[in-house]
Amino acid sequence: MGYEEELQSERDYVAGLYARLDGERARVKAAYQSALGGTGETAMERDNEVRARHREMKRLNVADYGLCFGRLDSADGDVSYIGRIGLFDEFDDFEPLLLDWRAPAARPFYTATGANPEGQRRRRQFLTRRRTVAGFTDEVFGKLGEERGDVALLEALNAPRGQGMRDIVATIQFEQDAIIRLDHPGVLVIEGGPGTGKTVVALHRVAYLMYTQRERMERHGVLVVGPNPAFLNHISRVLPSLGESDVVFSTAGSLLPGLLATAEDAPEVAKLKGSRTMVDVLKAAVAARQRVPEEPIPIGIKDIVVNIGADVAEWARQEARDSGLPHNEARAVFREIVTYVLTERAIGRIGKGWMARDDKQAWEDMRSGLVRDLADDDAFIAALDALWPIMTPFELLGSLYSSPEELAAAGADPSLHRAEGDAWTVSDVPLLDELYDLLGKDGSEQAADQAAEAERAAEARYAAEVLDSMVGRFDHMDDEDHLFASDMLEANDLAERFENHDQRTLVERAMADRGWTYRHVVVDEAQELSEMDWRVLMRRCPGRSFTVVGDLAQRRAPAGATSWGQMLDPYVPGRWEYRSLTVNYRTPAEIMAVAARVLAEFAPDVVAPESVRANGVEPWARQLSEDELPAAIEEFTLAEAALEGTSVVIGPHGVPGTVPAAETKGLEYDSVLVVEPGRIMAEGPRGAAELYVALTRATQRLGVLHHEPLPEALSGLAETVRT
């Protein structure tokens, strides 16, 4: 059969797959609508059915783009088509018509080589346009040393970039696939230089885990933490395109519900706040609010006055601390001890001469009355607030920052002082989160919990009453009806109905709940996170299931990681896996050669990733007067706007028309213009790393504009001018 005949055959097969997809969509949509209007089931069952059908609809809807991207022909003559989702023939024992790319049987599509064909004879890759197969390329195995064909890969790499990251499901390479499918339940570190695809590999790993561990993962979801909102927007389409939507995207500054911190501290302050020693500072700040009065505090009870002295407060404070409860919740212990002492002293004086000590009933009756009086006594409540105040994390940390005296008392560095204590920065978020654990729930939260518990109890009582009222009806049923009714009520369906009325999506519930825990967490640009940031993330994932993505050579944060063990060993000592990616898929060899010279200056021991392609376009540089720079930047912007693809102008802080390199981390553009690289390099101790980031954002073209002399590492560009 010739190429055209085979092409038509493949088109027909793929068209059949789309027909099957459309049929599945229609079936699921009908089931979804039926579940929405369903009767006869419990509300909980109906809600679960609606959510399950909705997830299935979304999974099928993402498959329109690139439903099938290739096939495998085994040495035994079997043919398997590989695609974005799995489809089965319901009329033929559910034989697979299309294998999900994550299925074990699909793995040779990504890993088979001429040297190790893994039982395969041929790999065929489709080039598709919408729902049509536009062409295909074949790779026939059998010759020792034959490498995988790169037609589909190179087409994807050379295509103009859009506004978001694309999945690589059709072009996953061998070293990437090995990481995606790695059977390691704990922490996996993926390190790679610019353009190695570490982010997209991590996201495909999440899709793989959600496919292979669906039941375990879907109830709690996945958290993806990235360096900034632009980056999260850039990657946000990847997992939905793979059919996975139970994913929360967050920056380190937005991990607390209701707070979005974007401001950054000065480097030296950020380094202090990021250190694990801040835990001791915060504990000391909390302990400093657990006070003993310098002078006795008089409290009037009935017609007498009793005092809260240092001895009483000291005893109560020690009992409260020994309880192990968070500060706000331990106040109940403190209050109980103080109340006990005051009422004992008051009873002893009030009942002196007429009430026998061994008259326990009279003693307890009087105590109960005095306890009620104290509960409403303004002076007593004020004394408790002074000695053991209820606090929120925001109140305590804001007060700490704004008071040099409180900072000194907590053993904190005086440079943490600021006039506006509540001017929150990104580095404050992990400290606030830590305080949530140290303080526990404040009064309003405790009241809300009590109200919710009371509501649940009332609902359960109502459900029990309904169940009791129905029991009498069973006496009038025949045996068959009696068994049916018993089955319906056996699991307390009515009570469960009340407990499952939250109609929010998993993502909505997780984002609103500071205490939500995830089954898996992805941390991108992980080298930027501080020790305190890692404490937050470990609280979010008690199961310690992480995919950690980063490049130590690109670290810019002063409190960031200098080694992976520094951050991970306190939590998973000796139990985290390390994998590296060494091939640069983004940056052409011409540009990477320039960036590698910068890397060699600040990280001589790090080997730059090897580019998989060259595009024949040399980077250029142009030296201008300072007055000419704005016009040259505008000229570049206008010229790039006329071309297909994306572009960015990166420069030092304060240069109009440019963005800082830090805001482009993890992003990629067809064309990049770097302005005043010497000034970027001079901005702080990690300036060279910033320049390295800037130079490696381009997928096609790189230009440099400068007034000041070029750094030595870029001097080779000085003779080249853009034409």
Side-chain angles (χ1 to χ4, degrees):
M1 187 184 297
Y3 178 84
E4 291 299 329
E5 289 82 5
E6 285 206 51
L7 177 59
Q8 186 57 52
S9 175
E10 300 293 21
R11 285 173 173 168
D12 292 343
Y13 189 87
V14 173
L17 292 176
Y18 275 108
R20 180 79 182 102
L21 174 67
D22 292 339
E24 279 287 287
R25 280 178 173 159
R27 180 188 64 79
V28 173
K29 184 177 181 180
Y32 175 69
Q33 292 173 335
S34 175
L36 284 175
T39 57
E41 313 97 351
T42 66
M44 181 187 70
E45 289 171 338
R46 190 161 58 251
D47 289 346
N48 289 340
E49 176 73 6
V50 167
R51 290 178 179 177
R53 296 304 181 189
H54 187 253
R55 282 195 301 268
E56 196 171 357
M57 285 172 59
K58 288 195 292 185
R59 182 183 73 89
L60 294 172
N61 286 339
V62 302
D64 250 344
Y65 170 76
L67 172 62
C68 176
F69 40 77
R71 81 180 221 189
L72 277 172
D73 296 3
S74 75
D76 297 330
D78 295 329
V79 174
S80 301
Y81 285 83
I82 315 299
R84 192 170 294 273
I85 64 172
L87 292 174
F88 302 89
D89 187 346
E90 60 184 312
F91 302 109
D92 187 13
D93 293 330
F94 285 89
E95 281 294 311
L97 301 172
L98 182 67
L99 284 177
D100 190 300
W101 66 276
R102 295 167 288 192
R107 182 169 189 172
F109 184 78
Y110 301 107
T111 59
T113 64
N116 182 22
E118 300 186 33
Q120 306 303 313
R121 183 179 63 84
R122 178 174 64 183
R123 171 172 42 229
R124 174 167 288 179
Q125 292 178 290
F126 296 151
L127 305 177
T128 58
R129 299 290 183 268
R130 296 186 181 276
R131 287 188 165 205
T132 302
V133 178
F136 65 80
T137 59
D138 279 345
E139 183 179 359
V140 179
F141 302 120
K143 296 181 180 179
L144 189 63
E146 182 178 345
E147 297 298 328
R148 174 176 174 173
D150 288 326
V151 175
L153 174 64
L154 292 175
E155 181 183 71
L157 296 179
N158 288 319
R161 293 315 191 252
Q163 294 304 312
M165 178 179 284
R166 295 170 293 193
D167 65 64
I168 59 168
V169 63
T171 58
I172 295 170
Q173 301 298 291
F174 183 90
E175 70 169 1
Q176 297 172 329
D177 185 82
I179 293 173
I180 290 169
R181 299 176 194 263
L182 183 65
D183 183 18
H184 178 68
V187 177
L188 171 64
V189 176
I190 306 173
E191 185 164 28
T196 53
K198 51 189 179 293
T199 296
V200 75
V201 166
L203 295 176
H204 282 68
R205 175 167 170 77
V206 169
Y208 176 76
L209 292 175
M210 296 185 82
Y211 174 83
T212 57
Q213 304 175 26
R214 178 72 60 191
E215 186 174 345
R216 174 179 174 271
M217 302 281 281
E218 67 181 0
R219 292 190 62 186
H220 287 258
V222 172
L223 172 65
V224 176
V225 179
N228 53 58
F231 173 83
L232 294 178
N233 183 61
H234 178 66
I235 69 172
S236 63
R237 299 182 184 95
V238 174
L239 283 167
S241 77
L242 298 171
E244 306 300 345
S245 57
D246 290 338
V247 180
V248 172
F249 293 90
S250 177
T251 63
S254 60
L255 283 169
L256 282 179
L259 176 63
L260 174 58
T262 57
E264 293 192 7
D265 286 297
E268 61 276 9
V269 174
K271 188 172 184 178
L272 286 170
K273 290 182 179 180
S275 169
R276 197 179 289 110
T277 59
M278 283 300 298
V279 175
D280 295 329
V281 171
L282 297 177
K283 287 180 178 178
V286 172
R289 298 300 185 99
Q290 300 163 355
R291 302 185 178 107
V292 173
E294 295 181 2
E295 298 291 336
I297 301 174
I299 304 295
I301 305 180
K302 299 296 185 183
D303 296 327
I304 65 169
V305 174
V306 289
N307 292 321
I308 302 177
D311 58 336
V312 176
E314 181 60 48
W315 176 28
R317 180 171 69 174
Q318 193 59 50
E319 290 289 333
R321 288 176 174 176
D322 290 346
S323 73
L325 293 170
H327 169 87
N328 290 336
E329 295 163 40
R331 172 170 156 139
V333 179
F334 183 86
R335 178 176 184 152
E336 181 181 5
I337 297 297
V338 174
T339 298
Y340 171 79
V341 174
L342 294 186
T343 54
E344 279 284 306
R345 291 177 178 178
I347 293 170
R349 292 170 58 184
I350 294 171
K352 187 176 181 180
W354 64 268
M355 185 172 65
R357 179 75 188 188
D358 59 359
D359 188 347
K360 295 182 180 179
Q361 186 60 49
W363 197 275
E364 289 304 321
D365 289 345
M366 181 172 286
R367 180 193 301 281
S368 297
L370 295 178
V371 169
R372 286 193 297 270
D373 291 343
L374 278 178
D376 297 325
D377 187 272
D378 291 340
F380 179 65
I381 294 172
L384 289 177
D385 289 342
L387 299 177
W388 198 285
I390 295 291
M391 298 176 289
T392 70
F394 298 92
E395 291 168 346
L396 178 58
L397 193 60
S399 174
L400 180 67
Y401 285 151
S402 61
S403 171
E405 294 77 18
E406 288 186 29
L407 286 170
D413 192 289
S415 64
L416 295 182
H417 173 260
R418 65 188 183 207
E420 294 184 47
D422 59 355
W424 307 118
T425 66
V426 174
S427 301
D428 291 328
V429 172
L431 307 187
L432 291 166
D433 195 77
E434 190 81 29
L435 283 171
Y436 268 101
D437 275 11
L438 293 176
L439 294 176
K441 295 179 178 179
D442 61 32
S444 62
E445 291 173 313
Q446 292 179 33
D449 282 352
Q450 290 169 0
E453 183 60 35
E455 183 181 2
R456 284 193 293 270
E459 290 170 344
R461 285 195 300 272
Y462 173 74
E465 290 169 3
V466 174
L467 291 171
D468 289 341
S469 71
M470 297 186 71
V471 168
R473 303 180 195 177
F474 293 171
D475 296 335
H476 306 291
M477 297 178 181
D478 59 30
D479 289 343
E480 185 176 347
D481 289 339
H482 187 282
L483 287 172
F484 174 72
S486 299
D487 287 343
M488 289 187 65
L489 296 175
E490 189 70 31
N492 288 331
D493 288 336
L494 288 174
E496 289 179 350
R497 176 175 185 262
F498 291 116
E499 296 176 1
N500 290 276
H501 58 270
D502 191 340
Q503 297 300 308
R504 294 174 299 170
T505 66
L506 181 146
V507 171
E508 291 168 338
R509 286 181 286 132
M511 292 182 69
D513 184 357
R514 181 257 164 190
W516 189 274
T517 58
Y518 298 87
R519 281 292 180 262
H520 191 76
V521 176
V522 176
V523 189
D524 209 321
E525 299 292 343
Q527 74 278 356
E528 307 297 347
L529 299 190
S530 69
E531 292 174 324
M532 292 302 293
D533 287 322
W534 279 106
R535 288 178 65 84
V536 177
L537 296 178
M538 291 296 169
R539 282 193 285 270
R540 297 296 190 274
C541 188
R544 303 291 192 260
S545 180
F546 283 77
T547 299
V548 178
V549 181
D551 179 11
L552 294 176
Q554 295 186 60
R555 178 180 64 86
R556 60 178 290 272
T562 56
S563 73
W564 299 118
Q566 169 201 0
M567 298 302 181
L568 299 177
D569 283 343
Y571 308 101
V572 284
R575 294 188 290 114
W576 52 275
E577 292 282 333
Y578 175 88
R579 294 292 185 275
S580 63
L581 292 168
T582 59
V583 178
N584 188 330
Y585 299 100
R586 175 204 302 147
T587 316
E590 294 86 349
I591 297 176
M592 200 61 216
V594 175
R597 291 196 289 272
V598 174
L599 177 66
E601 285 204 354
F602 73 93
D605 297 332
V606 178
V607 178
E610 183 178 355
S611 296
V612 76
R613 67 191 171 102
N615 67 354
V617 180
E618 293 294 333
W620 56 269
R622 182 188 300 169
Q623 186 169 20
L624 302 170
S625 69
E626 197 165 359
D627 293 339
E628 293 174 319
L629 280 176
I633 292 173
E634 184 178 4
E635 175 190 348
F636 170 86
T637 303
L638 291 173
E640 290 297 332
L643 303 175
E644 187 178 4
T646 59
S647 64
V648 69
V649 182
I650 302 174
H653 290 276
V655 176
T658 71
V659 299
E663 294 184 13
T664 67
K665 293 199 76 168
L667 306 181
E668 58 183 27
Y669 305 87
D670 291 272
S671 186
V672 172
L673 180 67
V674 178
V675 178
E676 293 291 16
R679 286 176 55 187
I680 294 175
M681 206 167 188
E683 287 186 339
R686 301 293 298 172
E690 297 277 88
L691 180 57
Y692 181 59
V693 169
L695 295 171
T696 53
R697 298 306 94 194
T699 66
Q700 302 293 341
R701 303 175 295 279
L702 172 67
V704 174
L705 292 178
H706 64 106
H707 166 63
E708 299 178 4
L710 287 174
E712 181 63 29
L714 302 184
S715 59
L717 296 176
E719 304 301 322
T720 306
V721 177
R722 186 184 188 190
T723 57

